[in-house]
Amino acid sequence: MNKSRSFKIVAAALSMAVVLSACGGNGGNTAQPAPSGSPDAAAGGNAPAKPGQVKELSLFIDASWYPVTEWKGPVADMITEKTGVKLKVTVATDDKQLPLMIASGDLPDLVFTSSNVDRLSDSKLSYSWNELIEKYAPDFKIDKTRIAIHTMDDGNFYTVRNSFATQEEMKNSKYSLGSDGNPGIAVREDILKELGNPPIKTLDDFVKVLGMVKEKYPEMVPLIMDKDWIEQYFLAQFGTETLLDGWYEQDGKVEYAIRQPKMLDFFKFMNSLYRNGYILAENFALANDQIDDQYATGGKAFAHSHTVSTADTDNIKIKSNQGNFSFKMLPSVLSKDAKVVSSGLGFSGTFITKKNKDPEASIKFMQYLASDEGKKLTMFGVEGVHWTWNEEGHPDFKYNPSDADFVNSNGIKWWYLYNDGVTEGMLSYVPELQKTQALMDLKSIRIYKPEIGLIQTQPDSQEKTIKTKIDEMVKNEKVKIYLAESEEAAVAAYENMLKNAENIGLQKLTDWANTTYQKKKELFK
Amino acid sequence: MLKSQRQKDFVFDSVIYVVLFIIMLTMLYPFYYVLIASFNKGSDSLLGGVYLWPRNFTLENYRVFMDDPKWVKAFLVSVLRTVSGTLLGLLLTSIVAYGLSHRDLLFSKVYFTVIVFAMYFSGGLIPYYVVLRSLGLLNSFAVYIIPSMLSTFFLLIAISFFREIPAELKESAHIDGAGELTIFFRIILPVSTPVLATMALFMGVGQWNSWLDSAYFVQSEELRTLAFRMMEVINKSNSPMDSLAVANSASAGVTSFSLQVTSMVVSIVPIICVYPFLQKYFVSGIMLGSVKG
């Protein structure tokens, strides 16, 4: 009896202890949080480097897809040799990891991010570059435009994004062309020949040829479009200066894309393609971005709308499938109105966090990467080994820049913690590829307006909600316009879309955008 | 009369079998498709039309996948965490559940309230991370084992199972002079194999598939698990390479899709192999005849 009572009490005490600990409660736990210098910190080992030795800094890359995960290879070795810094790299597993580190205060020495630039541009989390430059690297010069883009409300800038170029820089570099992510249309060479090689110099010419194809090859789809590259090529030809979810500027004021007067012409054009049977209705419902490729490389389509490298890519696939036809690119400019506005601000920036154990070495490391030598080393590889400089003003590569395996395994390009769009754009200059010409055409009609890119709605703001709702609505309504049964119906659907946008709060959004735009423009003066 | 009844039964059974067969196919076919796609040349899979067996058989996907010595290490870490995590989890959960299953336990209402509360509400990722840090568990193998040793969900299941065990079993053991530990280890656990096997299976699968803790709470490359490496492959294959690069690597036969399905096969197969060995314990009626009236 006694025994059983004492057992109950012991059992009760034991259970109580276990249950309380199972709760994960930290009551009464006085253990000190691990200092950031301990191996337990998310930043990894942060032991200060001994003088005269190579310093190791921890770097967190906030991009789960990042192809390089270790600081190794000839490019990394050369950067270490030049700067005395090597990096201990951690690549994010998902997009929640960095916010977790920020919230818990466990930050590494350096963070490279694109989606958390605003969040890390905060004096509590990161050192501002202007103070570090002033203190440790007074000869590190950054141009005004980049500083303007990254200056926060507190007057400091905390990073400079890579992959950005100004109009001036691009103009001065003939061979810097930009990336693969530009729209292009490829057409079947053999079929053009059978049609008697009709010239395609304008949009009307192109539409005429689509008509000929439909007539002569009724079983073929005249134009197939990648699900992510439906509008861009044609928007550029109409000179709308914006995609469907962006801003365009006129006489110092900004307006939302769908209000652009040329938009209606664009929608009428797309609708006419559908009504004439040149595009498929189901093209707007494709969920997979490989279906269009199968149409093109399987010989079921005459024209393929995708990127500037469509012809090159399709031809590689056709060859490996033992096909006997080939694609060639249409000119990137098919109208006198054609225009492309680049409002991009760059891709990712590096932050020197407040946990950084050697801000001086860090800013000097960035300074080296920002030098002409550093930019070329990062982007092209080791001079003499991977490339030689051509006096014309571009690198002659000793490898194929499209060979991802070679590029990734040598760490070429991906250590661009500081770089620019000019150097990066030279990777695209491969004279024997069709995409090179397509990019050159596009370059001739591109204007740079980074101040428009600074019109960014903030998370959880009212503007963001309105913009998200409008973009979602446009996504659904645009297909109704494309697939309208007559031009009148298309115009009515377009007007209905505008009305919907007004009802959601387009005017309010536009007013906010103009206020922001004026404020941001000041930074560039 | 009887005949038509039989006919009705036959028709009814046939319909049930057909429906069940269709359901089985819809469950199994995705697995099968992933398996054949992993043995098919990646660039060939892109063309579509691979449904029943590999059209262009290759082991290249597996070769590319296993080229990295990190895999072997990750596999060992996963095996170790699965085995030790499951065993320790079973031990602690069953001990606690047995203690709580006594109906005359003092303050039992309080314990149950706390358990149910802990089951439905959690502090969220950031407080959890901070707790792990203050316990010094970050970046250690223990972070895989200790936090998951006691699952409130399994605790409740085990408690209700232990309560089903006739009290006479314990009483008779008491009379024979057995202490509490002897009763627990030599009488209660042996008759509890169904619930232990069920818990072991779920805990094991959970441990095997867990990648989040390896991603968030561990930085050492030595401690990465297999599931984490899978995530790495899947993440990397989402790399926005330009389409030319994709076409170039596709001509070598391996595509991001073929790598993804290969990683699925590698992660699914070991845990599927464990299942048959546990299945024999899922037997009801184990207590039949244990108490004579």
Side-chain angles (χ1 to χ4, degrees):
Chain A
M1 187 67 201
N2 263 353
K3 205 172 182 180
S4 124
R5 185 174 301 162
S6 68
F7 165 71
K8 280 179 205 163
I9 290 169
V10 169
L14 180 74
S15 307
M16 176 81 92
V18 171
V19 166
L20 284 177
S21 67
C23 262
N26 203 10
N29 190 334
T30 53
Q32 289 301 306
S36 62
S38 81
D40 281 352
N46 263 4
K50 293 190 184 98
Q53 268 193 340
V54 169
K55 293 187 184 75
E56 186 175 74
L57 297 173
S58 50
L59 165 73
F60 182 83
I61 297 174
D62 183 28
S64 58
W65 49 265
Y66 220 67
V68 292
T69 52
E70 278 177 87
W71 185 252
K72 62 174 193 192
V75 174
D77 292 346
M78 183 65 91
I79 295 174
T80 299
E81 194 179 306
K82 297 279 182 185
T83 59
V85 169
K86 67 173 185 173
L87 300 177
K88 185 174 186 298
V89 181
T90 305
V91 174
T93 310
D94 64 11
D95 55 3
K96 290 191 218 54
Q97 209 169 344
L98 182 58
L100 171 70
M101 290 158 84
I102 293 172
S104 64
D106 269 344
L107 285 165
D109 297 317
L110 305 169
V111 175
F112 184 58
T113 179
S114 78
S115 52
N116 285 289
V117 167
D118 283 351
R119 201 165 174 180
L120 278 166
S121 293
D122 178 338
S123 58
K124 289 196 283 294
L125 299 170
S126 313
Y127 286 104
S128 71
W129 278 30
N130 38 304
E131 68 177 290
L132 291 180
I133 288 172
E134 196 181 328
K135 207 164 163 186
Y136 301 118
D139 50 348
F140 183 3
K141 297 281 178 265
I142 298 174
D143 67 286
K144 250 178 37 192
T145 309
R146 283 181 177 79
I147 291 177
I149 287 173
H150 295 95
T151 298
M152 305 310 286
D153 291 342
D154 65 1
N156 295 318
F157 67 100
Y158 295 85
T159 188
V160 171
R161 290 182 185 90
N162 60 10
S163 307
F164 172 83
T166 62
Q167 179 105 37
E168 204 56 31
E169 288 169 348
M170 282 311 256
K171 212 172 73 188
N172 296 337
S173 174
K174 184 179 161 190
Y175 296 99
S176 179
L177 300 180
S179 78
D180 201 50
N182 281 289
I185 292 183
V187 291
R188 286 273 298 270
E189 277 184 293
D190 53 324
I191 291 179
L192 266 186
K193 207 163 161 184
E194 283 170 30
L195 295 172
N197 273 328
I200 303 183
K201 291 200 163 41
T202 64
L203 261 188
D204 286 344
D205 291 346
F206 178 51
V207 173
K208 265 189 213 129
V209 172
L210 291 179
M212 292 171 169
V213 171
K214 182 154 180 66
E215 203 173 317
K216 201 167 172 191
Y217 305 93
E219 75 294 344
M220 241 186 176
V221 179
L223 170 64
I224 193 80
M225 303 175 284
D226 181 276
K227 75 177 182 67
D228 300 317
W229 294 91
I230 286 176
E231 293 100 0
Q232 293 89 326
Y233 182 88
F234 298 117
L235 283 169
Q237 306 312 321
F238 280 91
T240 57
E241 300 195 13
T242 170
L243 299 179
L244 292 176
D245 59 353
W247 301 94
Y248 77 99
E249 179 260 349
Q250 212 169 14
D251 309 327
K253 281 198 121 97
V254 289
E255 269 291 0
Y256 204 54
I258 51 175
R259 275 188 177 161
Q260 151 77 283
K262 290 173 179 165
M263 237 357 132
L264 183 57
D265 298 338
F266 159 78
F267 275 113
K268 282 183 188 168
F269 171 79
M270 291 297 284
N271 173 249
S272 72
L273 288 183
Y274 165 70
R275 282 184 294 109
N276 290 319
Y278 301 157
I279 52 178
L280 298 170
E282 58 261 36
N283 205 141
F284 299 104
L286 294 185
N288 178 328
D289 66 354
Q290 282 159 355
I291 296 175
D292 59 295
D293 301 347
Q294 285 165 19
Y295 267 95
T297 56
K300 287 184 266 179
F302 162 72
H304 184 195
S305 171
H306 193 202
T307 64
V308 282
S309 57
T310 305
D312 297 318
T313 311
D314 285 350
N315 290 344
I316 291 175
K317 286 182 189 163
I318 292 163
K319 208 165 144 190
S320 70
N321 297 341
Q322 282 88 44
N324 58 350
F325 54 93
S326 63
F327 278 90
K328 72 166 189 182
M329 292 305 291
L330 281 186
S332 292
V333 182
L334 281 182
S335 103
K336 59 178 184 5
D337 297 329
K339 204 184 279 182
V340 180
V341 169
S342 170
S343 58
L345 305 173
F347 159 56
S348 278
T350 305
F351 288 87
I352 299 168
T353 71
K354 279 279 159 86
K355 297 270 178 181
N356 188 297
K357 60 181 168 288
D358 198 339
E360 181 179 0
S362 302
I363 197 71
K364 285 183 171 162
F365 178 71
M366 299 316 297
Q367 184 180 8
Y368 174 74
L369 293 185
S371 68
D372 188 56
E373 180 189 326
K375 283 191 293 202
K376 286 174 177 164
L377 166 61
T378 311
M379 201 49 72
F380 310 145
V382 179
E383 187 170 11
V385 177
H386 297 124
W387 57 279
T388 49
W389 189 249
N390 186 312
E391 285 315 309
E392 287 280 304
H394 62 82
D396 287 330
F397 294 109
K398 298 184 175 185
Y399 59 94
N400 172 3
S402 295
D403 181 348
D405 289 340
F406 182 87
V407 168
N408 297 348
S409 60
N410 283 280
I412 292 167
K413 176 182 171 173
W414 297 110
W415 301 119
Y416 58 170
L417 305 179
Y418 188 112
N419 216 300
D420 61 34
V422 174
T423 317
E424 200 177 328
M426 289 182 190
L427 281 176
S428 296
Y429 184 72
V430 185
E432 61 270 20
L433 288 179
Q434 293 193 45
K435 79 163 181 180
T436 306
Q437 189 51 50
L439 283 169
M440 283 183 150
D441 292 351
L442 277 172
K443 188 178 170 172
S444 66
I445 55 163
R446 182 174 283 120
I447 317 163
Y448 289 79
K449 294 187 178 175
E451 53 274 35
I452 290 182
L454 286 170
I455 305 172
Q456 297 282 354
T457 52
Q458 292 307 306
D460 307 324
S461 65
Q462 206 181 2
E463 298 79 36
K464 174 129 189 143
T465 311
I466 296 174
K467 188 172 186 304
T468 308
K469 278 185 184 164
I470 290 177
D471 290 345
E472 202 52 43
M473 183 272 297
V474 169
K475 218 180 278 178
N476 298 322
E477 294 295 314
K478 72 180 182 187
V479 180
K480 289 182 192 165
I481 309 174
Y482 296 149
L483 303 182
E485 291 307 322
S486 65
E487 186 165 295
E488 295 71 37
V491 174
Y494 172 73
E495 279 160 2
N496 184 46
M497 179 173 78
L498 280 185
K499 210 175 287 159
N500 283 342
E502 302 289 351
N503 293 339
I504 294 171
L506 180 56
Q507 194 48 53
K508 196 173 174 182
L509 180 67
T510 308
D511 292 343
W512 165 85
N514 272 302
T515 313
T516 309
Y517 179 64
Q518 300 309 335
K519 205 164 72 184
K520 296 290 182 190
K521 240 175 36 179
E522 289 301 309
L523 294 170
F524 289 81
K525 284 181 177 160
Chain B
M1 176 69 199
L2 195 70
K3 199 174 174 191
S4 72
Q5 184 60 38
R6 270 200 205 139
Q7 269 175 342
K8 270 187 200 163
D9 281 353
F10 178 75
V11 171
F12 189 69
D13 285 352
S14 306
V15 169
I16 287 178
Y17 278 120
V18 168
V19 170
L20 284 177
F21 184 74
I22 290 169
I23 291 174
M24 184 189 80
L25 272 189
T26 54
M27 299 276 176
L28 285 181
Y29 183 72
F31 281 98
Y32 179 72
Y33 177 71
V34 162
L35 187 70
I36 56 174
S38 73
F39 286 108
N40 197 51
K41 193 174 168 186
S43 49
D44 181 63
S45 299
L46 283 183
L47 303 171
V50 178
Y51 300 122
L52 288 177
W53 43 78
R55 183 172 49 204
N56 204 325
F57 184 86
T58 180
L59 291 174
E60 192 62 14
N61 297 322
Y62 287 89
R63 194 195 60 73
V64 169
F65 193 76
M66 297 297 179
D67 246 0
D68 201 330
K70 287 189 295 196
W71 285 103
V72 180
K73 204 168 276 176
F75 184 83
L76 291 175
V77 171
S78 277
V79 169
L80 195 62
R81 78 170 283 182
T82 303
V83 172
S84 54
T86 307
L87 288 178
L88 289 169
L90 272 184
L91 183 69
L92 187 72
T93 309
S94 51
I95 286 178
V96 177
Y98 180 64
L100 289 170
S101 67
H102 288 73
R103 290 182 193 276
D104 50 359
L105 180 73
L106 293 175
F107 315 122
S108 62
K109 269 218 166 72
V110 178
Y111 303 139
F112 276 94
T113 311
V114 171
I115 290 168
V116 172
F117 186 85
M119 191 166 84
Y120 284 108
F121 302 100
S122 76
L125 184 61
I126 293 163
Y128 183 51
Y129 180 90
V130 174
V131 168
L132 291 179
R133 185 177 60 188
S134 49
L135 293 173
L137 287 175
L138 290 183
N139 210 15
S140 69
F141 185 75
V143 81
Y144 296 147
I145 308 295
I146 292 175
S148 55
M149 268 173 76
L150 193 75
S151 148
T152 45
F153 176 70
F154 288 131
L155 193 59
L156 292 177
I157 288 177
I159 289 171
S160 41
F161 186 90
F162 289 142
R163 283 189 172 170
E164 297 291 305
I165 298 175
E168 294 84 346
L169 265 186
K170 287 179 254 179
E171 280 171 22
S172 63
H174 253 307
I175 291 164
D176 292 343
E180 284 297 338
L181 285 177
T182 314
I183 291 174
F184 176 67
F185 282 108
R186 301 197 42 191
I187 296 188
I188 301 295
L189 284 191
V191 299
S192 306
T193 41
V195 77
L196 292 178
T198 309
M199 290 200 302
L201 181 74
F202 283 100
M203 284 179 182
V205 171
Q207 285 280 10
W208 181 262
N209 288 338
S210 176
W211 59 270
L212 207 88
D213 44 16
S214 187
Y216 287 3
F217 311 135
V218 167
Q219 286 77 48
S220 163
E221 290 299 310
E222 306 291 305
L223 289 174
R224 299 295 195 193
T225 61
L226 192 64
F228 174 83
R229 295 278 177 227
M230 303 286 163
M231 277 301 295
E232 264 189 338
V233 168
I234 290 170
N235 280 336
K236 266 200 204 175
S237 55
N238 292 333
S239 173
M241 283 193 297
D242 62 38
S243 41
L244 258 181
V246 174
N248 271 319
S249 63
S251 59
V254 177
T255 62
S256 63
F257 173 74
S258 69
L259 269 183
Q260 286 181 11
V261 289
T262 306
S263 72
M264 284 180 210
V265 173
V266 172
S267 64
I268 294 168
V269 166
I271 208 77
I272 284 185
C273 293
V274 173
Y275 188 77
F277 295 102
L278 284 173
Q279 206 184 2
K280 68 176 185 197
Y281 296 107
F282 300 141
V283 261
S284 55
I286 195 137
M287 242 88 68
L288 279 182
S290 62
V291 179
K292 289 205 165 65

